[in-house]
Amino acid sequence: VAEGEPGEGREPFELPRFWDALGQTFQVTSQEATKLSLAFSRPPLPSAEDCQKLSEDVQNAILSVATVYYWLPKGQGTTLRKMVRDATTEVVEGMIQLTDTILNAPVESLSQEQLISTGGVWEACEQVSNLPRDNQAAVVSALAACLGVVKDAVEEMEHALVEGQDPYGDIMEDEELGFRGNRDTYWSEADRQLLSSCMGLMKASKACLKKVLAAVKAHGKADSPEQIAQLDDLADIANEISPSVDELALSMYPPVNPLAVRLNAAKLASVLKKVLEIAKTSHVCPPSEEGWVQFLTGAVDHNMNKVKNFTQGQL
């Protein structure tokens, strides 16, 4: 589904009316998928006239879904709009898959593929009830997803760094892979000192997302264009944290290249500083929230300086 803006001459946009209309079009699409699937579930085939009517009804349902999506202006929030677009795209793609399945399957009985495809459209259409209702809720959802991914990455690396742990132990059991005493599969003491500072940055990433998420939940609003834009800025920069954490984590596995670790640590530190700066200057951070912003900024600087010190003589 391409980007678009509401047409001119339309009545002023109202979110409640939009959600009512979107829910209705998703429901109609689900019903049309059921009708289409039942019509081709057993012989005899529908007549040419019935096929024409079925295809027109399916097409009209999909066009209605897309049309209502286009009613949602970017001014309501790009984070919200992306989530609605993804849900809309899933409905359209589900209907395409169902149609392809019907076209390619012999009409003897209801095939397993047809059942799965029909269920896929139903599930996609039911998603509308779980979508966030405004940009504040959309950004809360986006931040929570980022936090989940970063938590997993931190736990995985903490597990690998346990004293004496062989990071490749679970994949180096095969004798054909050679002698597992190879130094390239273990961390030296110097490596561990460097990586402890990297873990400090990764934990700061998790803490940063937790605090920003709590602040958006407590203080975030989507009542004005400025508030909506600030929330989108937070979501956009927070989306960069997880890939940056992953890149740093990958560079931490032996054999450790100090330059790669330092570059990835610097990239993550830069992203975290941006998140904290954007949060600090937005409406989600009243004076009561400034303490943790200052603390986490200090934590990022402290760990990044330690990474620089540990790699100074190794570059």
Side-chain angles (χ1 to χ4, degrees), residues 134-137 139-140 143 212 214-235 275-290 292-293:
D134 62 20
N135 208 47
Q136 187 260 0
V139 171
V140 164
L143 292 173
V212 171
V216 172
K217 282 182 178 177
H219 309 292
K221 291 184 173 62
D223 301 330
S224 71
E226 184 182 17
Q227 290 169 341
I228 289 170
Q230 287 175 349
L231 290 171
D232 281 332
D233 287 344
L234 266 177
V275 171
L276 293 166
E277 186 58 35
I278 289 171
K280 183 181 178 182
T281 56
S282 76
H283 72 281
V284 306
C285 274
S288 61
E289 303 284 344
E290 288 177 3
W292 64 262
V293 174

Side-chain angles (χ1 to χ4, degrees), residues 238-255:
N239 274 333
E240 295 182 29
I241 294 179
S242 175
S244 300
V245 165
D246 286 343
E247 285 177 29
L248 176 58
L250 284 172
S251 68
M252 288 162 67
Y253 279 94

